[in-house]
Amino acid sequence: METILITGATSGIGEACARRLVSKNRKLILTGRRLDRLEKLSEELLPLSAGIYIHSFDVRNRNEVISFVESIPAGFRNVRVLLNNAGLASGLDPLQTGDPDDWDKMIDTNVKGLLYMSRYSIELLRGNEGAQIINIGSIAGKEVYPNGNVYCSTKHAVDALTRSMRMDLLPLGIRVSSVCPGLVETEFSIVRFHGDAEKASQVYKGFEPLTGEDIADAVQYMVEAPFRINVADILILPAAQASSRDVTRNSG
Ligand code: NDP
Ligand code: 8X3
């Protein structure tokens, strides 16, 4: 029986993926920092699954990542899919006035966290038929936009890591791919604007943004594709978005 490990399952895209991928034929490992949310989600999904293991930790902390991997019970260690989804933007400022604490947060989570998770999960994935790592990238990893400086850099790094990990892990039979969304309405912008929900809601005003479920559809396609296929990269945008800077909005 296969196991799928999801980081950032407490909200948004990661939570939608947990809901979409849950099955009586699968075990899930759900992670994030907010234990109360993991407990609630696990309680809800457990009857629909073959088993759920939750663990709250911070992907930025290398020792916590190592302890998490060591803590996984025997029945959950045959991980077939690692979904590296945990990530965030913090701030939206020009470089000259940017807050270096925001920069550290984004680099430590989006780049170093993804690296730690990937590096220490290899032992769980290795040898499992159809093993794969799916990274949640972004349109911000394909192009840049004003004031997106550090966030865009971290997502460009995710793009580079996806392509280089694909080469490194080829001899181990582990496929590596990415799903790169445009604007998805989740808690992402609330986090970016440090809790300012009103400012966050403006980001999605006047057009129909993507939902976490839309991204979960793409992830499900990758996860359930025949093992001979590696769906290497998917860029998904709302119909109203052509690039990071081109979004058609109604004035009303
Ligand atoms: P949310 O804020 O809704 O979810 C982010 C998830 O990441 C949460 O579950 C959060 O859990 C987890 N997370 C953040 N920091 C850490 C950490 N240090 N350790 C462990 N878990 C962490 O945003 P989204 O669902 O939108 O974001 C998911 C991914 O999608 C991110 O990588 C983001 O960059 C990417 N993305 C989002 C887009 C969008 O428009 N929303 C578009 C393109 C990509 P907790 O706080 O409990 O730790
Ligand atoms: C999140 C999408 O456009 O806010 O990666 O950077 S965007």
Side-chain angles (χ1 to χ4, degrees):
M1 174 145 341
E2 68 177 21
T3 300
I4 295 183
L5 193 177
I6 302 176
T7 66
T10 55
S11 137
I13 294 169
E15 182 181 342
C17 288
R19 292 180 188 284
R20 180 58 46 87
L21 295 172
V22 72
S23 153
K24 286 278 189 198
N25 300 318
R26 272 190 196 127
K27 294 180 183 177
L28 297 179
I29 302 175
L30 305 177
T31 69
R33 287 166 302 180
R34 287 168 289 184
L35 181 60
D36 55 332
R37 290 202 185 191
L38 290 175
E39 285 171 344
K40 205 159 164 262
L41 186 62
S42 164
E43 201 177 309
E44 186 188 326
L45 298 186
L46 190 59
L48 309 171
S49 76
I52 296 190
Y53 176 65
I54 57 170
H55 196 100
S56 70
F57 66 97
D58 189 330
V59 295
R60 294 174 294 182
N61 184 317
R62 197 196 311 178
N63 290 330
E64 287 187 24
V65 173
I66 293 170
S67 302
F68 155 67
V69 170
E70 285 172 355
S71 79
I72 299 173
F76 286 81
R77 296 190 73 82
N78 63 331
V79 173
R80 185 178 71 77
V81 185
L82 165 64
L83 178 60
N84 275 321
N85 162 75
L88 82 176
S90 194
L92 184 65
D93 303 295
L95 195 87
Q96 54 275 26
T97 55
D99 181 343
D101 287 339
D102 282 335
W103 302 350
D104 288 347
K105 227 183 269 177
M106 291 186 275
I107 294 167
D108 290 350
T109 309
N110 301 354
V111 184
K112 291 168 72 179
L114 182 140
L115 279 169
Y116 297 153
M117 282 304 304
S118 303
R119 169 69 179 81
Y120 295 107
S121 296
I122 299 295
E123 63 179 274
L124 308 170
L125 292 157
R126 201 183 194 127
N128 289 334
E129 205 192 352
Q132 62 186 153
I133 297 177
I134 301 172
N135 296 326
I136 301 297
S138 172
I139 189 174
K142 311 279 187 192
E143 55 178 273
V144 296
Y145 53 84
N147 305 329
N149 40 61
V150 176
Y151 179 70
C152 294
S153 301
T154 65
K155 288 298 181 178
H156 275 69
V158 171
D159 190 52
L161 283 170
T162 300
R163 288 182 283 124
S164 57
M165 282 163 59
R166 189 177 302 135
M167 295 171 188
D168 293 350
L169 301 182
L170 187 65
L172 303 187
I174 300 174
R175 299 168 292 163
V176 182
S177 54
S178 57
V179 176
C180 299
L183 291 154
V184 189
E185 189 162 13
T186 60
E187 294 177 18
F188 176 85
S189 290
I190 299 174
V191 173
R192 164 168 259 173
F193 297 124
H194 306 115
D196 186 339
E198 174 47 34
K199 195 168 174 187
S201 72
Q202 298 300 322
V203 175
Y204 310 107
K205 272 244 163 82
F207 74 103
E208 197 174 350
L210 297 172
T211 64
E213 289 72 24
D214 296 329
I215 307 308
D217 284 343
V219 170
Q220 182 180 31
Y221 169 53
M222 286 179 167
V223 166
E224 295 181 355
F227 292 169
R228 67 176 185 281
I229 299 173
N230 184 14
V231 184
D233 190 17
I234 299 182
L235 173 68
I236 311 178
L237 305 176
Q241 181 174 25
S243 77
S244 286
R245 303 184 72 170
D246 295 292
V247 180
T248 304
R249 295 174 196 263
N250 312 319
S251 46

